[in-house]
Amino acid sequence: MVQISLSRRALLHSSALVMASAALPRYGFAQAVAKGGRLIVAADSEPRNLNPAIVASNGVFFISSKVIEPLAEASFEGKDGLEPRLATNWEGSSDGLSVTFRLREGVVWHDGTPFTSADVAFSALEVWKKQQNLGRLVFANLQAVDTPDDHTAVFRFSRPTPFQLIRNSLPVVTSVVARHVFEGMDDIAASPANNQLIGTGPFKLAEHKPGEYYRLERNDAYWGEDKPYLDEIVYRVLPDRAAAAGALEAGEIQLAAFSQVPLADLERISKVEGLKVYSKGYEALTYQLAVEINHRRKELADLKVRQAIAHAIDKDFVVKTIFLGYAQSSTGIIPQNAPEFYTSDVPAYPFDPARANALLDEAGYTKGADGKRFSLKLLPAPYFGETRQFGDYLRQALAVIGIDARIVNNDSAAHQKAVYTDHDFDLAVAPTVFRGDPAISTTILVRSGTPAGVPFSNQGGYANTQLDALIDKANETVNVAARTELFRQFQRMVAEDLPLINVAEWGFITVASAKVSNVSNNPRWAVSNWADTALES
Amino acid sequence: MKRAFLLLRRRAVGSIVVLLIVIVGAFFLLEAAPGDAVDAYVLSIGGGDPALVQSLRESYGLDRSLFARLWLYLTALAQLDLGWSVAFNRPISAVIFERLPNTLWLMGSATALAFSLGTLLGILAGARPRSACDRILSVGSLSLYAIPSFWLGLVLSIVFAVQLRWFPTAGIETIASGKQGLARALDIAWHLVLPVCALGFIYLALFLRMMRAGMAEAWRQDYALAARARGLVRRRIVLRHVARTALLPVVTMLGLQAASMLGGSVVIESVFAIPGFGRLAQEAVALRDAPLLVAIIIVSAVMVMIANLVVDAAYALLDPRVGAAETSA
């Protein structure tokens, strides 16, 4: 550090002596961030409900996180991986029955009304707890929110709720909406206000031209000093993936996130002058490639068969060939990007077709005259090219060990019905998401008791009372160390019994013009507020 | 004129019956597809709890039976109410009429390009069947016809938009430009060049082949021989005698092509990110929005019918044999 500041001072000094005076302002300009400008970004969808307080999903956050802010955002450097947004401090009581938030002062809504603790109380009780897809789970036991003053909100829970869970879910489930906008509405979820967002964020939603673009304008009254740097963000709707790559190359857009430029095009794109490829900035949005198993099938209910399938998958091949290296192989149900919980101390299933064959023989499923042991119905999820490609790979890998997998391709709605409602599958390929805490969207993948019709949940008929008890215990364990240890046990138990098989974990890729700075500088960058993002003219 | 009117009236009555069958058919077809609008939506938001899924299904009206929904839709439709799109969370009429102009511009220009250029080149090819010029045009047009439109669209986009940068890669107009009047019209025209070429070139071949075949046929007729025997200039024979008769089936084709053009625009609209009808239809299916899909089908059917009525009327005016039965009956 010392050296850097010395050299910078020396450089400044020498430049002042040597350079012509005209060069000085330019140097000063290079030190400061560029201000102003319109950043044009590719968007592949237009959410039907844009309110992140109701729909906590990446598609919604991608646009609305610039307009509506959470209490805290994920951070590479901050304590517990968080940095303050609308809350400046948060503290849980030792009994797990309350959490106290200190709220930022001097914040105003886009319509000029001051932001207070009443907004947080309203959002928590009326929106997150009642309406939000994830908040309904995290805040299930939220009973009341006390507001002793305008800038303090005390969340009171009816049953002990781990502060660790609340803290980890802050970036995702706590988008604060304005009480004065929604109060008194019969049906908040159906309100037109959900698409005419009023927030406290660095940008205001100025215009939406369906099928073409969203336009966000700088919020001049934003609380962050000097921020935001950009004047405008325009989301241009480009449903075709090749179109996004072309528009980047032609300079019509400056940024494409969420791997909108397909992995196969990255090598070519990375050589285009003036474009940069970022694989950072998705650490808190880690996706996992998992093989879902229908345990109602007699063969698959046998642990040895599941172990054989795990041994038949060459994870390195999957990472190198399907993900072109932009992924890492999984060891279990919690990804390595969650160091707070992750443990590598779990049973491993190295690629070993001979061992897989032996296990299947042991289980009593010997090869028939045609070399096949039994047939399975394999349903790859259609949402990503990689899930479909992995389906093709898995079919070949299973053929090697004598399992004949027939692939059934569906579109999204049909896949959801077949796998999660009708259970009409033997194996399915799913892209599951880890959302900061295992209790948010990970334990549901293996816990029994979720009714049919819920996507990304255990619909394979797997029921393990020991595992269920462990999950329930973790859900009410307030002590951080104890709860973390329970989740380490949870990983071991899942890897031992293989209710599903985790293959790889991946983040997305951002491609941006070199003129865009402060890209990918937090673990949820694409869905954070972009207040410090700048564009050189 | 009376002839044309009677023809129109008969067509209009027949059309309503066809429309009703199409509406009910589309409803059942989409119902037969696995998964409903709630499945599609819940997936897109990354999941939710069972109670949320249930309450969504109630608020979408999907807890009611298929026939109850169909009846509701038909009674609303009878009052010219197209209904509410659950996929877009907006009135269907608003969604449709916002996209209709884009598709009309795209299809209209592509049809005009395919028809005019196709007919012209067809006349060129048919003027001297089996000549070198005919051979080159025939092979060229067949090759064009064999190209999938999305591929042609991507290639045009890579060459003329990404590399040469003569045209924009995608979109219907420069986004958030605030252009008005003539400047906006020119901007839209500039954006439409590549998609119109991609869509028009494929159909061009069809008109070319038809025109050429018709002319080759006409050359063998006695009146062509008579014209040559009278010693008319070749250009006059080609334009006044041969091409003119060959044009009639091509005009019929124009009406028929309006329908398939609509289908072809699904792909082109996605490649060039044009918010039009084709893309809307695809989204309606993916999101399982039956009322929206039916509304799209109705409006498309009406468009195709209008195109065919215009063609029929033109035909009746051009050819005295057409519609003669109506006046005598």
Side-chain angles (χ1 to χ4, degrees):
Chain A
M1 281 310 287
V2 178
Q3 249 184 336
I4 290 169
S5 61
L6 263 179
S7 68
R8 182 175 290 169
R9 194 185 301 149
L11 191 64
L12 261 174
H13 193 65
S14 62
S15 61
L17 285 174
V18 177
M19 281 182 169
S21 58
L24 268 176
R26 273 194 70 181
Y27 192 80
F29 181 76
Q31 288 279 78
V33 212
K35 288 205 179 139
R38 170 192 281 182
L39 179 69
I40 306 178
V41 183
D44 62 354
S45 66
E46 295 162 275
R48 72 180 285 275
N49 182 336
L50 205 53
N51 189 344
I54 297 178
V55 184
S57 83
N58 290 338
V60 170
F61 282 135
F62 185 47
I63 296 161
S64 65
S65 61
K66 286 75 189 163
V67 181
I68 289 186
E69 293 182 297
L71 293 175
E73 184 55 276
S75 155
F76 285 128
E77 303 89 15
K79 182 176 173 288
D80 296 326
L82 291 173
E83 69 176 45
R85 284 287 191 264
L86 288 178
T88 51
N89 186 50
W90 40 90
E91 215 166 311
S93 67
S94 54
D95 58 4
L97 291 174
S98 74
V99 178
T100 305
F101 292 96
R102 277 300 299 167
L103 304 176
R104 193 174 291 280
E105 297 184 25
V107 177
V108 290
W109 294 98
H110 292 160
D111 60 6
T113 316
F115 157 81
T116 68
S117 52
D119 296 309
V120 175
F122 176 81
S123 298
L125 289 169
E126 299 301 320
V127 189
W128 308 337
K129 179 188 156 93
K130 289 186 185 166
Q131 311 279 347
Q132 192 193 89
N133 54 335
L134 300 175
R136 290 164 67 107
L137 184 139
V138 174
F139 293 111
N141 297 323
L142 182 67
Q143 202 171 29
V145 177
D146 298 345
T147 50
D149 63 61
D150 273 358
H151 300 100
T152 308
V154 184
F155 286 39
R156 300 210 176 276
F157 296 92
S158 56
R159 295 177 53 188
T161 301
F163 175 61
Q164 189 185 30
L165 165 64
I166 301 295
R167 193 188 67 201
N168 286 336
S169 57
L170 286 179
V172 181
V173 302
T174 63
S175 302
V176 185
V177 291
R179 183 178 73 156
H180 63 274
V181 172
F182 288 97
E183 194 170 38
M185 283 184 184
D186 293 332
D187 189 356
I188 291 177
S191 163
N194 292 321
N195 292 315
Q196 292 145 18
L197 305 178
I198 298 284
T200 57
F203 296 93
K204 301 179 191 181
L205 182 62
E207 193 184 358
H208 174 209
K209 197 133 189 262
E212 293 190 59
Y213 63 86
Y214 292 89
R215 191 166 62 82
L216 270 48
E217 262 173 11
R218 184 179 200 274
N219 170 16
D220 293 326
Y222 186 58
W223 53 264
E225 208 180 325
D226 285 348
K227 284 173 184 149
Y229 297 141
L230 294 166
D231 282 340
E232 275 183 321
I233 303 175
V234 173
Y235 291 87
R236 184 163 169 194
V237 180
L238 295 171
D240 189 82
R241 293 182 145 220
L248 267 172
E249 274 189 81
E252 288 177 21
I253 59 172
Q254 285 97 39
L255 192 136
F258 284 109
S259 298
Q260 236 201 317
V261 175
L263 293 182
D265 283 352
L266 280 184
E267 198 179 312
R268 183 175 57 85
I269 282 278
S270 63
K271 291 191 186 113
V272 175
E273 202 160 330
L275 291 183
K276 280 169 95 170
V277 174
Y278 299 84
S279 58
K280 262 181 65 179
Y282 295 94
E283 289 75 5
L285 314 171
T286 299
Y287 278 66
Q288 287 184 294
L289 187 72
V291 180
E292 290 172 313
I293 295 168
N294 194 342
H295 296 258
R296 296 176 189 87
R297 259 299 283 257
K298 149 178 86 62
E299 294 90 340
L300 296 173
D302 187 332
L303 176 60
K304 285 195 175 131
V305 174
R306 302 200 295 272
Q307 287 171 338
I309 294 174
H311 278 300
I313 299 170
D314 185 353
K315 293 176 183 169
D316 286 338
F317 176 87
V318 172
V319 167
K320 278 188 201 125
T321 312
I322 295 177
F323 290 95
L324 302 175
Y326 291 101
Q328 58 187 139
S329 53
S330 285
T331 59
I333 192 163
I334 291 179
Q336 286 139 78
N337 273 334
E340 186 181 3
F341 298 102
Y342 175 76
T343 172
S344 58
D345 179 23
V346 296
Y349 300 89
F351 176 55
D352 188 349
R355 171 128 184 73
N357 272 310
L359 278 164
L360 287 169
D361 288 338
E362 267 175 56
Y365 298 105
T366 46
K367 279 188 186 173
D370 55 354
K372 288 175 187 166
R373 301 171 194 274
F374 53 85
S375 296
L376 291 175
K377 201 188 268 185
L378 169 61
L379 276 71
Y383 332 124
F384 296 97
E386 290 78 18
T387 50
R388 282 193 301 260
Q389 286 165 13
F390 177 72
D392 294 337
Y393 165 77
L394 186 59
R395 186 178 170 279
Q396 294 170 22
L398 291 175
V400 172
I401 59 167
I403 297 177
D404 176 35
R406 283 165 299 120
I407 291 186
V408 181
N409 279 313
N410 282 318
D411 75 348
S412 295
H415 181 80
Q416 141 74 9
K417 178 100 162 88
V419 176
Y420 301 106
T421 307
D422 295 344
H423 308 144
D424 182 18
F425 73 108
D426 296 319
L427 297 177
V429 179
T432 60
V433 191
F434 185 82
R435 291 191 168 90
D437 192 281
I440 301 175
S441 55
T442 305
T443 52
I444 191 175
L445 299 171
V446 292
R447 201 200 183 288
S448 67
T450 305
V454 179
F456 308 115
S457 68
N458 168 16
Q459 295 297 340
Y462 178 75
N464 178 339
T465 43
Q466 258 183 302
L467 190 66
D468 288 357
L470 182 71
I471 292 168
D472 295 346
K473 195 172 169 206
N475 281 346
E476 51 187 38
T477 301
V478 176
N479 181 286
V480 173
R483 185 167 181 269
T484 307
E485 180 47 39
L486 286 173
F487 279 120
R488 300 232 159 100
Q489 278 178 38
F490 165 73
Q491 289 169 75
R492 274 190 287 275
M493 215 187 267
V494 168
E496 268 161 24
D497 207 32
L498 291 177
L500 46 70
I501 300 169
N502 291 95
V503 178
E505 40 211 52
W506 81 94
F508 294 97
I509 304 292
T510 302
V511 181
S513 156
K515 289 178 178 166
V516 187
S517 55
N518 289 337
V519 177
S520 292
N521 59 3
N522 78 53
R524 290 176 83 237
W525 185 76
V527 294
S528 67
N529 71 13
W530 293 7
D532 63 350
T533 304
L535 179 69
E536 232 176 87
S537 49
Chain B
M1 215 44 234
K2 196 184 173 203
R3 226 159 18 93
F5 173 73
L6 284 171
L7 188 75
L8 289 188
R9 198 182 63 181
R10 201 180 61 165
R11 284 293 166 91
V13 172
S15 307
I16 288 175
V17 178
V18 173
L19 256 185
L20 258 178
I21 296 173
V22 166
I23 292 170
V24 176
F27 233 96
F28 277 97
L29 265 180
L30 206 57
E31 184 68 19
D36 60 16
V38 171
D39 288 324
Y41 178 61
V42 172
L43 262 187
S44 77
I45 65 172
D49 64 313
L52 180 76
V53 173
Q54 185 52 37
S55 72
L56 274 173
R57 213 154 254 146
E58 273 161 29
S59 78
Y60 283 19
L62 287 171
D63 49 343
R64 283 178 232 174
S65 75
L66 169 65
F67 290 99
R69 276 181 285 138
L70 182 61
W71 178 247
L72 262 179
Y73 186 72
L74 287 177
T75 45
L77 197 64
Q79 300 158 37
L80 294 181
D81 175 10
L82 286 174
W84 185 266
S85 162
V86 291
F88 289 86
N89 204 11
R90 294 170 60 205
I92 287 176
S93 52
V95 176
I96 283 199
F97 291 111
E98 169 182 280
R99 307 232 180 175
L100 190 59
N102 295 339
T103 293
L104 285 180
W105 280 119
L106 175 64
M107 273 179 46
S109 322
T111 310
L113 174 79
F115 180 72
S116 55
L117 204 60
T119 318
L120 264 173
L121 292 175
I123 292 175
L124 222 64
R128 287 176 195 277
R130 278 179 291 283
S131 65
C133 173
D134 176 27
R135 293 267 151 84
I136 294 172
L137 282 172
S138 294
V139 171
S141 67
L142 273 180
S143 324
L144 261 185
Y145 191 56
I147 295 177
S149 58
F150 76 91
W151 189 82
L152 184 62
L154 283 176
V155 169
L156 286 177
S157 162
I158 287 173
V159 174
F160 293 102
V162 175
Q163 286 172 358
L164 294 173
R165 303 203 182 177
W166 291 354
F167 299 104
T169 56
I172 182 79
E173 58 183 309
T174 307
I175 44 167
S177 66
K179 283 184 178 148
Q180 288 300 329
L182 187 64
R184 180 160 178 243
L186 285 173
D187 186 48
I188 292 177
W190 183 53
H191 277 76
L192 277 176
V193 171
L194 291 183
V196 162
C197 287
L199 193 56
F201 280 168
I202 308 249
Y203 291 99
L204 175 155
L206 219 63
F207 290 110
L208 191 158
R209 300 291 307 158
M210 198 138 185
M211 190 70 201
R212 189 218 161 259
M215 282 179 75
E217 174 72 28
W219 278 117
R220 285 196 290 275
Q221 302 293 323
D222 291 342
Y223 62 82
L225 191 69
R228 283 163 81 177
R230 290 208 306 276
L232 295 179
V233 191
R234 187 170 178 92
R235 204 178 61 191
R236 196 180 156 87
I237 304 177
V238 169
L239 293 179
R240 287 280 180 86
H241 297 271
V242 178
R244 198 171 170 185
T245 33
L247 200 60
L248 279 171
V250 179
V251 171
T252 314
M253 191 66 181
L254 184 64
L256 293 176
Q257 278 310 307
S260 61
M261 203 57 106
L262 206 64
S265 64
V266 174
V267 174
I268 293 297
E269 283 172 8
S270 290
V271 171
F272 288 100
I274 294 172
F277 239 50
R279 215 173 97 196
L280 190 65
Q282 184 234 322
E283 285 167 330
V285 173
L287 302 171
R288 299 287 191 274
D289 192 341
L292 177 60
L293 184 69
V294 171
I296 293 169
I297 290 172
I298 294 171
V299 176
S300 309
V302 168
M303 264 159 53
V304 172
M305 281 171 194
I306 291 174
N308 277 300
L309 284 177
V310 170
V311 167
D312 281 344
Y315 215 83
L317 291 177
L318 284 176
D319 189 337
R321 288 167 299 179
V322 176
E326 251 99 355
T327 26
S328 59

